[in-house]
Amino acid sequence: MTELADRYPTRLGAPGRWVERSDPTVWGTIETPELAGFATEGFAAVEDLLTPAEVAEFSAEIGRLAADPDLADDDRLIIEKSSRRVRSIFEVHKLSAAVADLVRETRIAGLARQVLGSPVYLHQTRINYMPGFRGTGFYWHSDFETWHAEDGMPAPRAVSLSIALTDNYPVNGSLMVMPGSHRSFVGCQGTTPAENYRESLREQEIGVPTQSDIADLAARHGIVQFTGRAGSALLFDSNIMHGSSDNITPFPRSNIFLVFNSVENTLVDPFAAPAPRPTYIAARDFTPV
């Protein structure tokens, strides 16, 4: 691993500062019409990425994984603090042959290649489960802040694809994003404890912006919510500010979450953590998909 200059400083033990992004958002050529506004907005919704038959297939698959007794003591399985139900399962493409086949398809990985302008590899894969009644949300954050600080991702040349396996309503904790916020990197206060991921994957407290920063971003950019039927997807920039509220409705929400990073943006030593996170969270096999 190589040391690089840190252009996006964070977790310095002092109040964070904003850095206007010096990297492009779109590095390649956009060919899919739904991605036309990606550079400006920092995200794009793609309807019907999966067929109803595929939604049924993958819903059954994630149900099988959540109930698999062999995963009960596996570090890749994350349990909700309050409900004690499954919150996430990481490295899902290595646990499910069906997901492994899906991620390599052009309609999936091809979206990332258009935006990132290079071959891509899987930085992270997971299933997110948000059960009804007691599902816990994700506080406002930029994924890149964590991937930069704790994984050593040099630049925000990565995208996430969230594929809905359930209908996303405004009331069941669906994802909220701040359009255009990907152009500003918000440094966070505090330092990273050793093995911070053990707590942050259940409830993130380190690497989140201040309430003042969130209020300023919301005033500048506004907030929109990703809703839509099962099979739809949201592709979003690694640095966009996003989050979700708790789900107290009877309607569960689940999704396949895929993170694609450019092979020209491979990981180095963490910029603000004592050691890299495990490879099931942040892959260091940079083989293109």
Side-chain angles (χ1 to χ4, degrees):
M1 290 178 284
T2 309
E3 288 190 8
L4 294 179
D6 186 358
R7 295 182 293 120
Y8 298 100
T10 189
R11 308 191 193 184
L12 300 178
R17 63 185 179 90
W18 291 27
V19 176
E20 290 309 302
R21 180 177 179 150
S22 56
D23 292 285
T25 302
V26 174
W27 299 69
T29 301
I30 298 298
E31 300 170 354
T32 302
E34 290 92 338
L35 304 187
F38 194 91
T40 302
E41 300 293 312
F43 70 94
V46 182
E47 294 186 5
D48 301 322
L49 186 62
L50 299 185
T51 67
E54 289 173 321
V55 169
E57 174 191 357
F58 286 108
S59 294
E61 184 72 348
I62 71 166
R64 177 189 68 80
L65 290 172
D68 187 346
D70 290 338
L71 289 176
D73 296 320
D74 195 306
D75 284 345
R76 291 173 291 185
L77 186 143
I78 310 300
I79 300 297
E80 289 264 13
K81 273 188 172 181
S82 57
S83 70
R84 305 302 300 168
R85 297 173 69 178
V86 177
R87 177 176 175 86
S88 302
I89 299 177
F90 282 80
E91 212 171 42
V92 67
H93 68 295
K94 293 189 177 181
L95 296 171
S96 167
V99 174
D101 290 340
L102 178 69
V103 298
R104 290 191 290 266
E105 293 190 21
T106 300
R107 61 172 166 156
I108 305 296
L111 296 173
R113 287 192 287 263
Q114 288 179 54
V115 172
L116 302 180
S118 71
V120 297
Y121 73 93
L122 287 165
H123 172 71
Q124 182 186 105
T125 68
R126 69 179 188 262
I127 301 164
N128 287 331
Y129 304 82
M130 184 177 281
F133 298 110
R134 298 289 295 275
T136 305
F138 293 84
Y139 193 71
W140 291 106
H141 65 286
S142 151
D143 288 329
F144 174 65
E145 192 280 339
T146 294
W147 300 340
H148 183 69
E150 299 187 36
D151 301 336
M153 184 178 288
R157 193 176 177 179
V159 293
S160 297
L161 182 66
S162 175
I163 307 173
L165 297 180
T166 52
D167 292 339
N168 282 260
Y169 304 112
V171 295
N172 69 336
S174 58
L175 193 69
M176 298 178 288
V177 299
M178 297 186 185
S181 61
H182 62 296
R183 299 303 313 168
S184 300
F185 176 79
V186 180
C188 296
Q189 188 173 4
T191 56
T192 310
E195 297 189 336
N196 178 55
Y197 65 91
R198 295 191 181 277
E199 289 300 319
S200 67
L201 296 181
R202 301 173 69 197
E203 184 177 6
Q204 186 171 0
E205 295 181 355
I206 303 296
V208 296
T210 65
Q211 291 184 0
S212 176
D213 284 333
I214 294 168
D216 288 347
L217 283 170
R220 180 185 297 188
H221 300 290
I223 298 172
V224 301
Q225 193 169 31
F226 171 55
T227 58
R229 58 182 173 266
S232 58
L234 188 73
L235 184 76
F236 57 98
D237 182 86
S238 59
N239 189 49
I240 198 166
M241 197 62 63
H242 64 287
S244 60
S245 57
D246 292 352
N247 181 16
I248 61 171
T249 75
F251 312 119
R253 186 172 71 84
S254 59
N255 64 292
I256 299 173
F257 193 89
L258 310 172
V259 180
F260 296 96
N261 189 27
S262 169
V263 298
E264 298 172 6
N265 190 42
T266 53
L267 308 185
V268 296
D269 291 328
F271 287 90
R277 296 192 296 177
T279 55
Y280 67 84
I281 303 171
R284 292 182 180 268
D285 174 3
F286 310 129
T287 304
V289 295

